[in-house]
Structures are given as C-alpha cells and as structure tokens.
Amino acid sequence: MNPRYPWYPRYPGLSCRKAKDVSLGERRSEALGYLRGAADRAKRRGHIPFPPGFVIAPEGDGGPPPLARLIQGGRGGMVRLRLYMCITMMATKEPFDLRKPPGPNGWTQMLGLDPKTGPRRVASNLTWLKNNRFIDLQPQWGRPSAITLMSATGDGGVYTQPREEGRYVGMPVEFWTRGWLLQVSPTATAVLFALREALGGHSEPQYIHTAKRHRYGLSSDTWTKGRKELEAQGLLTVKREPQGDFYDFTRLRNAYQLNLERLNDSPSWT
C-alpha cells in the first residue's frame, strides 16, 4: 500500500499515518480544511441541533447537565468537548454513527492538536465519552472503531434527532467551518450554548435569572471567564439595564445579547 494514501477515502487527508511536526499556524490551516470538508460531506447547513437537556439540567435536579460534565478536567475537557461536537456534526443519519471515522491521528489533524500528544489525548477522551455513555465504540478489524452517538442527555439511551423532539439549541455550522471550534475555549463554548438556550430567539438584551444560570452547572467564575472571552471575540454584548417595575426595587443587572453574525467571519486567533 502506498503509505501516503489515506486509508479511508471518505475523509481524504485524514490518514492513519503518523502526523509530522508542523507549526501552530499550519496545523490550524489544515484543521480548518478538514472541518469544512467534514461539514460538506455531512451536507450540514444552518444550525447543528442539540437537545436542551444537553445544556441545562431539569428544575430541581442537583446534578450538572451533560455539557458541564464534558468541560470538566482542564485540557482534557477541551479535546473531549471538541471531539463530541465534531461527532455530532458529522453523524447526520440514523443510526447516527460514523462507520469510517478518522483514527487518532486523523482527529489530531482535524482538531489542530500537537501531533506528538494529540493521538493519545484523542484516544483517552474517546474512551471517556464511551465510559460516560455519550458514544458507543464498536471495534472494527484493521480500522478505527465505529462511533455511534448515544443520547445527548448522557443517560445511555438511543440518540434521537433533536429537531424531532421539538425545541432544540442550535449552533451555527460556521462555528465549525470558520474555525471557532478551534479558538473558543471550552468554558466560553459552554457559556455560548447556555446563552443560546436562555435567549432563544430574542434579539433584544435579556437578563438571565440566577436560579436559571445555576441549572447550566457553571460556576460564577466559569461564567464570568466565558462571558468575557465571548465579549472579546465580538460574539456577545453585555449591557447593564435596570430590572423591576415601578413598585419593585430597581437594580442594574447584566442583560445579554448574542451577535451570531460574527460567526460568519474568522475568530481573532490567539
């Protein structure tokens, strides 16, 4: 076999050969090409749907929702979340699986990871996703394990198309194809999801009650860090507006307004 030819033509360029040492800029450029190619092959347009239960915990439930669980663990949370978001974007048809997925080196290239440590980080986080019932892995002889999405609520159930369940939280496909996935931290990504769920279709700035914010499973420090990052990237505007009516005590609170048109441009790389 020609060692330069990728094993799986469905993902051209994402071969299982050992990745070369390349600069961060080269890795980023290469990753953007793979993300755009994956979105094109999946025929993704508009918004990638996620169920509300992925983002926010039910009322009265003391545990963190799946999204908050995914981002725990520092650098491991980064790879874990980006892997899961890519799998969700790529698996479009029932049974929502990838029969010819990239191998660890391929995922390393798609996520712009360090070629020396990326494959190990990918493999360990795929195992984490399996052990925590976000995906199922089916071994395949001579090729990477097939990946099947499981319920996005993390309960081990069968994955269902969020659009068929009614309300869903949509993330614009440009989050992948313009490279935001590679630039925005897991913390800021989680806050972006939370704001998409909380604001819905509102175009005017909205206040989010503290009790609801707690249901996203994000600490005040996490929320503030993620919010400031989204503001710095031009994705969010936060205004101080009075809350309450004539008969209530009025105080200034943060009101949030997303600027999703910004996703049509490239992020400010750091």
Side-chain angles (χ1 to χ4, degrees), residues 16-46:
C16 289
R17 64 181 183 274
K18 185 176 180 180
K20 298 179 181 179
D21 289 330
V22 293
S23 69
L24 176 60
E26 290 175 313
R27 295 206 311 265
R28 184 180 293 148
S29 178
E30 186 178 56
L32 272 172
Y34 295 145
L35 288 169
R36 290 168 181 166
D40 285 343
R41 281 185 293 277
K43 296 181 172 58
R44 286 293 197 178
R45 300 292 185 273

Side-chain angles (χ1 to χ4, degrees), residues 93-227:
K93 297 180 180 179
E94 195 172 353
F96 304 103
D97 62 354
L98 303 178
R99 305 310 299 178
K100 296 181 179 180
N105 284 317
W107 285 118
T108 293
Q109 291 172 282
M110 183 179 283
L111 299 180
L113 301 175
D114 185 330
K116 295 181 180 178
T117 60
R120 175 181 54 80
R121 295 174 68 190
V122 165
S124 65
N125 281 289
L126 284 173
T127 299
W128 187 97
L129 290 170
K130 178 181 184 297
N131 291 343
N132 286 270
R133 303 190 296 180
F134 286 94
I135 63 172
D136 189 30
L137 299 175
Q138 303 94 42
Q140 300 185 110
W141 185 84
R143 62 175 63 176
S145 295
I147 303 172
T148 301
L149 282 173
M150 302 181 75
S151 172
T153 60
D155 62 3
V158 175
Y159 182 86
T160 57
Q161 172 57 257
R163 285 191 177 94
E164 297 177 358
E165 301 298 316
R167 185 171 178 268
Y168 63 88
V169 181
M171 187 65 71
V173 70
E174 288 79 15
F175 191 83
W176 288 259
T177 60
R178 299 299 294 181
W180 293 92
L181 178 85
L182 308 175
Q183 174 59 29
V184 179
S185 71
T187 295
T189 300
V191 174
L192 179 59
F193 265 109
L195 290 170
R196 286 290 287 150
E197 195 283 330
L199 302 181
H202 289 289
S203 57
E204 297 298 319
Q206 299 289 318
Y207 166 66
I208 303 174
H209 196 279
T210 302
K212 183 167 187 178
R213 271 183 45 186
H214 288 164
R215 291 170 58 198
Y216 297 115
L218 306 174
S219 68
S220 296
D221 183 59
T222 296
W223 184 275
T224 299
K225 288 180 179 178
R227 187 205 82 188

Side-chain angles (χ1 to χ4, degrees), residues 25 42 70:
L70 279 171

